[in-house]
Amino acid sequence: GAVVSQHPSWVICKSGTSVKIECRSLDFQATTMFWYRQFPKQSLMLMATSNEGSKATYEQGVEKDKFLINHASLTLSTLTVTSAHPEDSSFYICSATDARRNSGNTIYFGEGSWLTVV
Amino acid sequence: GENVEQHPSTLSVQEGDSAVIKCTYSDSASNYFPWYKQELGKRPQLIIDIRSNVGEKKDQRIAVTLNKTAKHFSLHITETQPEDSAVYFCAAEVRFGAGTRLTVKP
């Protein structure tokens, strides 16, 4: 099956700094990638959808200037949390689809990244 | 945008009984309905999915039904076992329901 790798798996940063999370598709070209945030005991909340080479589409209520998404290649998308605050502490997880596969809808998830802002 | 509702939020059953989790969605353009199982801090694990061209799909003890007209779909687990205890999420395309914590009592 398709493999999506996410890095780092956990990160601690100081309030006010920025942190970047990478999401890579290892054995397929990810035409579309998705970023989610999940607070403890809650569901995965879709933050944004990114297509390679174009600007990300953000969900309502998600600040695009705070959560910068770059999908510069077919195998890499990055999420940068800018000016992080303790309330940004969460589990961030990416996923990817490959529309060229027969099962074009199938979503492949990264391992997730725990962000703690102190 | 798509809105997915999932019920119940918690479900407790006796080992061997069946468990049913129900979801509704709002966007009639949705065509893909996966179900996931997730452990804390780990990626969601796909357990079964259904596409809009079928009404039912079964894989051993797990089955999913889809009613496109009514915009609802359900997960059915038969002969539940304690190891089925987990948090289950439905999704319509890429949007998730709120989740159901299933507990199977031995």
Side-chain angles (χ1 to χ4, degrees):
Chain A
V3 178
V4 175
S5 177
Q6 194 171 333
H7 178 82
S9 53
W10 59 269
V11 58
I12 301 172
C13 72
K14 290 186 177 179
S15 188
T17 62
S18 296
V19 61
K20 181 185 286 188
I21 301 169
E22 293 186 347
C23 181
R24 292 181 185 274
S25 56
L26 299 186
D27 55 357
F28 70 101
Q29 293 183 324
T31 49
T32 306
M33 285 187 167
F34 307 91
W35 286 96
Y36 295 85
R37 179 168 56 183
Q38 185 177 30
F39 292 112
K41 296 187 179 180
Q42 293 189 24
S43 185
L44 283 77
M45 186 199 79
L46 181 65
M47 299 174 68
T49 301
S50 72
N51 293 295
E52 184 265 338
S54 62
K55 289 185 179 179
T57 302
Y58 289 81
E59 294 296 299
Q60 193 171 9
V62 178
E63 300 174 60
K64 60 182 179 182
D65 294 331
K66 180 171 181 62
F67 298 99
L68 301 179
I69 292 170
N70 184 283
H71 192 164
S73 78
L74 283 171
T75 59
L76 174 64
S77 176
T78 60
L79 167 68
T80 301
V81 183
T82 63
S83 186
H85 291 285
E87 55 265 31
D88 298 324
S89 300
S90 186
F91 186 59
Y92 291 86
I93 190 163
C94 69
S95 67
T97 61
D98 179 6
R100 285 163 287 188
R101 285 179 169 234
N102 289 334
S103 54
N105 310 86
T106 305
I107 302 163
Y108 304 98
F109 285 89
E111 303 96 324
S113 300
W114 284 102
L115 170 63
T116 301
V117 184
V118 297
Chain B
E2 176 69 272
N3 181 44
V4 181
E5 295 196 358
Q6 182 173 347
H7 299 281
S9 55
T10 60
L11 178 60
S12 181
V13 300
Q14 207 65 37
E15 181 177 1
D17 289 349
S18 294
V20 180
I21 302 171
K22 298 183 178 182
C23 288
T24 61
Y25 62 100
S26 60
D27 189 351
S28 56
S30 293
N31 288 310
Y32 177 61
F33 307 93
W35 286 87
Y36 300 94
K37 188 176 176 180
Q38 188 188 29
E39 295 178 37
L40 181 64
K42 298 200 173 175
R43 74 182 97 196
Q45 176 191 357
L46 179 69
I47 56 171
I48 195 167
D49 58 13
I50 190 166
R51 290 179 169 83
S52 60
N53 56 343
V54 297
E56 185 173 356
K57 184 176 177 181
K58 190 172 181 181
D59 182 6
Q60 299 183 343
R61 296 186 297 110
I62 297 174
V64 58
T65 59
L66 170 65
N67 183 326
K68 278 223 80 178
T69 303
K71 296 199 194 74
H72 63 69
F73 56 114
S74 302
L75 177 72
H76 304 252
I77 305 174
T78 59
E79 300 171 35
T80 53
Q81 300 165 3
E83 48 267 38
D84 293 328
S85 298
V87 178
Y88 291 82
F89 291 100
C90 66
E93 301 289 345
V94 296
R95 287 181 173 77
F96 281 65
T100 298
R101 178 170 293 280
L102 173 65
T103 303
V104 180
K105 299 177 186 174

